[in-house]
Amino acid sequence: WQKGLTYSAEFDCPEVAEGFSYASTLAKVVGTAILWGAGTAMGEIPPYYISYAAATAGKGNEEMDELKEGKDFVTRMKRWMIDVLQRYGFWGVFAFSSYPNAAFDLCGICCGHFRMPFWTFFGGTLAGKAFVKAPLQAAGAVALFSSS
């Protein structure tokens, strides 16, 4: 271990040990991936909370008002997302958070706007991001960068 504490211009890659496998590498990173997913789920709380507070105070949301009028593809997709969230609750949030979704902040805003209970929103978000999305992304990264 002292060799690692001294500076050397040479870098020696260690030999790959016997028994190195996809499963053993994934087992080493999946815990960290779950924590990363839990952290990203916690990052979805502010949009939800701000929208929930505004709805409770009786303030409107311009984004929601625009959804009633638009007929373009993006607006129809947003209306579809809102319909799924209202119809399926926890399972809708779980489905939208289980894959890399750049529009998930809008999902949190919609859940807050329609006053979805916090634990329904956060439970679905945590389950989807921490236990589905992040581990699958870790599995993909390990598969992509492993030599075997």
Side-chain angles (χ1 to χ4, degrees):
W1 67 275
Q2 289 179 341
K3 184 178 178 183
L5 297 177
T6 60
Y7 174 75
S8 172
E10 294 180 31
F11 180 78
D12 295 324
C13 290
E15 294 294 322
V16 176
E18 294 283 325
F20 174 78
S21 68
Y22 171 80
S24 66
T25 304
L26 183 59
K28 290 179 182 179
V29 300
V30 76
T32 304
I34 289 171
L35 290 175
W36 165 54
T40 62
M42 286 185 252
E44 302 299 340
I45 294 172
Y48 166 84
Y49 178 72
I50 290 169
S51 183
Y52 189 95
T56 302
K59 297 190 177 193
N61 186 322
E62 291 177 22
E63 180 86 18
M64 295 298 161
D65 294 338
E66 291 173 7
L67 291 178
K68 295 173 186 171
E69 302 161 4
K71 296 186 191 314
D72 60 291
F73 178 75
V74 174
T75 302
R76 288 189 321 221
M77 290 301 294
K78 289 177 183 179
R79 280 198 300 255
W80 172 79
M81 181 184 71
I82 290 168
D83 181 54
V84 169
L85 290 171
Q86 289 179 321
R87 186 177 296 180
Y88 298 107
F90 172 89
W91 293 109
V93 175
F94 175 80
F96 287 127
S97 66
S98 294
Y99 64 94
N101 181 356
F104 193 77
D105 282 343
L106 179 62
C107 182
I109 291 168
C110 293
C111 290
H113 179 77
F114 294 111
R115 297 184 192 158
M116 178 181 280
F118 174 77
W119 288 109
T120 302
F121 167 74
F122 187 67
T125 303
L126 180 66
K129 285 185 176 275
F131 298 108
V132 177
K133 183 185 83 124
L136 287 176
Q137 287 179 317
V142 170
L144 183 64
F145 295 109
S146 66
S147 60
S148 56

